Amino acid sequence: MFILIIVILIILLILLLLLGIRLFRWTLKSQRRIQGLLIILVASGIGMGIHHFFFKNMRFIQSEVYPNLYLVKYPDKDYSVVEDAIKEKIKEHLSSEYKTGKPLSYTGEKAIYFYELGGMTFGFLGEAGTGYFIDHEEDLGGFVSEELGMYQDYRLAEFYYEPCPRDNSLVCGEINFFKEGEHVKVDKLEDLNSVHIATQNLLDLTQKTNYAIKFPFHGVLDTEAVAKYYPEILNEFDSIGNFFAQRIPLSHDRAGILSLLQRTDYHTDYFLYTHDQDFKAIDFFYVGKAMDFDQGKSVTIAYELNTDSSISFHKVLWGPVLQNREETIDTLSHETILLRVNQSGKLEYTISNQTLAIEKLIEAYKTKNETQFLKQFPADFQQFMAYFGGNTKSNQANPLYEESYEYIVYFFDLLPQDKYRKFESKLIGIAANGVWQEDGVNYFQNSAMEYIKRNNSYPLIDELPSKKAKSVLFFLFDGPHPQFDADFSSHLSSAKKEILEELFESGWYDDKENPAPIDYEKPISYELADFENREHYFIRDIDLNQDHILDKLVSAASYQGDELYLFLKNGDAYEFVLKTINFSEDGGNQIVDVQPGQGGFVIKTAFPDRGVLEAYHPISFEDNSWILTHTVYRTQSSNQKDAFLNICDVKQGLNLKDSHFIK
């Protein structure tokens, strides 16, 4: 796909070049054209010069998300001018009312950051540039990440500050200046007024932390600094790579200074380190490796600070998964590492991952701890496969493959109990995005179908959004030769029943293997109860077949579809006779009402906006069929007092039983 785009761009470039050559030759054929071209070129040059010298002035843009982040547009070529402007902006920032806002990743709050506006690249995985952070939060995970640390070459300055020692009402700090990402100088600003500091009343300075202070083992590090402050790291890798360290602020860090060290070459390795007040390493922990797609998989690592001063690292593995027989990128596994710094500065941790969850499930099954078993049972199809499925790539069984039958039996034995009905969501979660496979998946599919039928749990599907309901129904009926279940379908709401019908018409259709996925010799029927007390439908009592007995007409409500169902009264029951349309249109007229009419009924639709744009569709019962005899359109020329009404009567003569009405 990418190569095709490149080829198309090259072709467009060649065409533009040929067009330019032809235009240039055409211009040279006339003296007037040449003069006109010269005038345009001179005017353009003057305009560009005026813009460059008078409108391309340096200015600061404050982020709407991170108030302590400023982006500098058109920085002056004289770097000393940029430095002076940054100092003035710092003073202005501190002396004015400002919100603390969200903290940038891996940073403390008592700092102000300055970056040049730029860095945007184009392409399939192009970077958004520093301008992204004007009105967007950092995105630390997913297929494409955006974090400020990616744009080190655009870093201009960082100002770290805290209350001055001799006067706590003032601010003192240190500015680190950068040029093209390289540290060039350090400067100090002292005795600055800060409205924010005064308003906060220093938050009890006796307990303040010093995490805003710049330490020598933070920032971009050379090999000498790494060897000094992060011992043994260089021995772990074949190549040196690039090192960058940032402080993780803790509310109480007297026991140790916590730092996140990142080593980057083709991938990024993350380490946690603690240092004492003399900058000597106390302890370290290897978090893991983050990488873009390598052999079809990607790993993202992000962390968050918890209120109890612990740190949670989330390591997510992404890769291709099948959803409705289509390959897409989704989560393969999610590992959470919870770390704490103890009083000695040592790192204590616990890891919550899939392996531990399986062990808990096995233990709950062995001890017959029902609640714990249901809690640990897989909640989605990917997790179900990781426990009970076969690994097609390695051609090996996953941990509980051999025991899948007994675990699934136990799950469905517990589920019908009232106290465990809340775990029915796991049935739906596994079915969503699932596909048929042999053994455990096949047995779960059969068990799920039987559970829904036996316990009349069709509302589990009826109450789902259409997209998710389609995915669940796909799984429940998927297989080598899907078979339509008319009884199951009859218990679904009309909307979900239609989704199931569409799946059998297109989802599994195959001329060779499944030439007739639905037995159309047995027409699909509907029950009036499917529509009663449903907010997306309305029901009218109308004599549909002119036998002087009131029947039932059901229509989808405005913006809820175009379905229309007819039920004739037969004794004490109502029999379904026809499904057709109510003439609602996407982006056009919507159903207003259905009322009795001569020989049958009239469907009224209208455009839901100002003015008059209405349509009336009289339906007449003739020769055991319902015929659209004609359509009357009423439109108003304008909303003025002297506006006139246009009426147009179009003859139709169309049988509502014709198949094109419901396609």
Side-chain angles (χ1 to χ4, degrees):
M1 183 63 184
F2 182 73
I3 296 175
L4 179 62
I5 294 173
I6 294 296
V7 171
I8 293 173
L9 290 174
I10 292 173
I11 293 173
L12 288 174
L13 184 63
I14 293 171
L15 291 174
L16 288 172
L17 182 62
L18 293 174
L19 181 63
I21 293 172
R22 291 177 64 89
L23 185 62
F24 182 72
R25 289 177 177 175
W26 176 78
T27 303
L28 294 179
K29 291 180 180 179
S30 168
Q31 191 68 27
R32 275 186 154 184
R33 295 172 190 167
I34 295 173
Q35 291 174 353
L37 178 62
L38 291 174
I39 291 171
I40 292 172
L41 290 174
V42 170
S44 299
I46 293 172
M48 291 174 65
I50 292 172
H51 177 265
H52 181 78
F53 290 105
F54 296 99
F55 295 99
K56 217 171 181 180
N57 297 323
M58 179 172 63
R59 64 190 183 94
F60 292 83
I61 304 172
Q62 186 177 20
S63 170
E64 298 174 7
V65 182
Y66 305 107
N68 62 337
L69 171 64
Y70 287 89
L71 301 175
V72 183
K73 189 173 184 180
Y74 305 134
D76 199 281
K77 292 183 178 180
D78 185 348
Y79 196 70
S80 63
V81 175
V82 178
E83 292 177 358
D84 292 340
I86 287 175
K87 291 178 182 178
E88 291 302 315
K89 179 55 68 175
I90 290 171
K91 295 175 183 177
E92 177 188 322
H93 178 93
L94 293 173
S95 62
S96 60
E97 293 283 354
Y98 64 92
K99 296 180 180 178
T100 303
K102 291 179 174 291
L104 288 158
S105 300
Y106 320 125
T107 65
E109 294 179 1
K110 294 182 180 179
I112 307 173
Y113 302 90
F114 296 86
Y115 279 70
E116 183 180 351
L117 184 66
M120 179 181 289
T121 60
F122 297 93
F124 177 61
L125 295 176
E127 295 173 347
T130 57
Y132 177 87
F133 307 105
I134 294 175
D135 52 8
H136 290 85
E137 293 184 30
E138 292 182 291
D139 183 0
L140 304 180
F143 187 71
V144 178
S145 62
E146 282 293 340
E147 54 182 298
L148 194 62
M150 296 166 51
Y151 302 98
Q152 295 296 315
D153 290 345
Y154 293 85
R155 182 170 49 165
L156 296 175
E158 294 177 350
F159 176 63
Y160 299 91
Y161 62 91
E162 62 178 0
C164 296
R166 61 180 177 274
D167 187 347
N168 290 330
S169 65
L170 300 175
V171 166
C172 294
E174 183 180 271
I175 310 178
N176 290 272
F177 287 105
F178 301 85
K179 195 171 184 180
E180 296 180 355
E182 297 294 329
H183 187 273
V184 292
K185 64 180 293 189
V186 178
D187 207 344
K188 290 185 177 181
L189 289 178
E190 297 181 337
D191 300 333
L192 303 177
N193 291 316
S194 174
V195 174
H196 192 66
I197 289 291
T199 304
Q200 293 288 325
N201 197 24
L202 302 181
L203 296 176
D204 189 5
L205 289 171
T206 60
Q207 298 181 8
K208 71 181 181 64
T209 62
N210 61 351
Y211 57 76
I213 299 174
K214 186 81 169 182
F215 289 106
F217 48 86
H218 290 157
V220 179
L221 304 172
D222 55 24
T223 54
E224 183 179 351
V226 173
K228 180 178 180 181
Y229 299 111
Y230 301 94
E232 300 180 357
I233 290 295
L234 296 180
N235 298 329
E236 298 290 328
F237 302 98
D238 296 331
S239 60
I240 296 176
N242 299 311
F243 290 90
F244 180 80
Q246 292 173 306
R247 187 169 189 184
I248 296 183
L250 297 177
S251 58
H252 58 280
D253 57 359
R254 294 185 182 90
I257 302 164
L258 186 63
S259 304
L260 179 68
L261 175 67
Q262 303 173 47
R263 174 197 171 273
T264 304
D265 51 11
Y266 296 106
H267 310 304
T268 300
D269 292 276
Y270 289 86
F271 299 83
L272 268 186
Y273 261 83
T274 53
H275 292 83
D276 62 19
Q277 302 302 322
D278 295 324
F279 306 155
K280 292 182 180 179
I282 302 173
D283 196 7
F284 80 97
F285 177 85
Y286 178 60
V287 178
K289 183 190 297 290
M291 59 184 181
D292 285 331
F293 280 83
D294 183 13
Q295 298 182 350
K297 294 182 179 179
S298 173
V299 177
T300 58
I301 295 177
Y303 80 86
E304 59 183 343
L305 297 177
N306 304 317
T307 55
D308 61 355
S309 295
S310 62
I311 308 104
S312 295
F313 276 87
H314 300 283
K315 188 159 59 172
V316 182
L317 174 65
W318 306 81
V321 296
L322 284 176
Q323 294 185 358
N324 292 343
R325 292 185 175 177
E326 293 183 3
E327 191 173 275
T328 186
I329 301 299
D330 206 341
T331 303
L332 298 180
S333 66
H334 184 169
E335 180 179 271
T336 300
I337 307 172
L338 185 68
L339 295 112
R340 300 176 188 274
V341 181
N342 66 20
Q343 293 181 352
S344 302
K346 294 284 188 177
L347 291 166
E348 300 174 347
Y349 64 90
T350 57
I351 300 175
S352 172
N353 57 27
Q354 182 174 290
T355 303
L356 293 177
I358 288 179
E359 292 174 356
K360 290 180 180 179
L361 178 65
I362 294 171
E363 180 64 22
Y365 178 72
K366 288 180 178 179
T367 60
K368 293 299 182 279
N369 185 331
E370 297 177 354
T371 302
Q372 186 67 11
F373 176 85
L374 291 171
K375 285 182 177 179
Q376 298 301 326
F377 198 83
D380 56 50
F381 185 74
Q382 284 73 33
Q383 191 180 22
F384 182 89
M385 285 297 298
Y387 287 13
F388 303 114
N391 192 320
T392 55
K393 291 186 178 179
S394 64
N395 200 28
Q396 295 179 349
N398 283 329
L400 295 175
Y401 177 83
E402 297 295 338
E403 298 87 355
S404 60
Y405 174 84
E406 53 194 88
Y407 277 75
I408 293 168
V409 168
Y410 190 46
F411 176 77
F412 282 103
D413 282 347
L414 297 176
L415 211 55
Q417 300 180 42
D418 290 339
K419 61 181 177 179
Y420 295 141
R421 285 297 179 102
K422 62 183 179 182
F423 292 103
E424 288 180 330
S425 60
K426 293 203 170 190
L427 184 159
I428 297 299
I430 293 171
N433 300 321
V435 292
W436 180 89
Q437 293 189 27
E438 295 177 338
D439 301 325
V441 176
N442 179 61
Y443 188 71
F444 183 89
Q445 180 196 59
N446 292 337
S447 300
M449 284 284 286
E450 288 302 316
Y451 177 84
I452 292 172
K453 289 180 176 181
R454 186 171 57 252
N455 296 282
N456 200 29
S457 297
Y458 299 97
L460 287 175
I461 299 172
D462 289 342
E463 294 169 4
L464 293 174
S466 296
K467 186 176 181 180
K468 190 169 184 178
K470 182 178 181 180
S471 180
V472 170
L473 289 168
F474 182 96
F475 172 76
L476 293 176
F477 286 87
D478 193 22
H481 302 286
Q483 296 295 320
F484 186 77
D485 188 330
D487 178 65
F488 187 97
S489 174
S490 68
H491 288 84
L492 295 174
S493 68
S494 58
K496 301 308 185 286
K497 186 185 300 182
E498 188 163 350
I499 290 174
L500 183 59
E501 294 171 18
E502 291 173 355
L503 279 171
F504 272 93
E505 290 172 358
S506 59
W508 296 287
Y509 188 83
D510 188 315
D511 287 333
K512 295 179 180 178
E513 295 188 6
N514 297 295
I518 300 181
D519 184 4
Y520 285 104
E521 293 180 2
K522 297 178 181 178
I524 298 173
S525 184
Y526 299 87
E527 299 292 336
L528 185 62
D530 294 340
F531 307 99
E532 292 176 332
N533 301 317
R534 299 280 183 178
E535 61 177 336
H536 301 314
Y537 295 89
F538 63 83
I539 301 175
R540 296 288 181 264
D541 295 316
I542 298 175
D543 180 6
L544 299 175
N545 58 352
Q546 302 302 296
D547 62 355
H548 306 292
I549 298 174
L550 291 179
D551 306 299
K552 296 286 187 181
L553 179 147
V554 179
S555 173
S558 180
Y559 292 106
Q560 301 301 323
D562 64 353
E563 304 98 336
L564 189 77
Y565 304 87
L566 305 184
F567 294 86
L568 295 182
K569 188 173 178 63
N570 184 6
D572 294 332
Y574 291 91
E575 293 182 355
F576 168 75
V577 292
L578 179 66
K579 175 187 176 183
T580 183
I581 63 171
N582 63 15
F583 299 100
S584 290
E585 304 167 336
D586 289 338
N589 280 25
Q590 292 293 312
I591 183 73
V592 175
D593 201 359
V594 182
Q595 294 293 332
Q598 184 176 358
F601 55 93
V602 179
I603 302 172
K604 177 184 177 181
T605 64
F607 190 74
D609 205 347
R610 296 178 180 177
V612 177
L613 182 53
E614 301 171 344
Y616 296 83
H617 307 275
I619 311 296
S620 177
F621 184 70
E622 303 173 7
D623 298 328
N624 291 320
S625 295
W626 284 270
I627 308 297
L628 172 64
T629 57
H630 61 289
T631 301
V632 178
Y633 297 96
R634 299 175 73 248
T635 60
Q636 187 170 293
S637 60
S638 69
N639 291 323
Q640 304 298 323
K641 291 182 178 180
D642 58 350
F644 54 88
L645 194 66
N646 293 310
I647 299 177
C648 179
D649 192 337
V650 179
K651 291 185 178 181
Q652 303 283 11
L654 302 175
N655 192 329
L656 295 189
K657 288 185 178 180
D658 290 349
S659 60
H660 74 271
F661 271 107
I662 57 174
K663 287 185 178 179

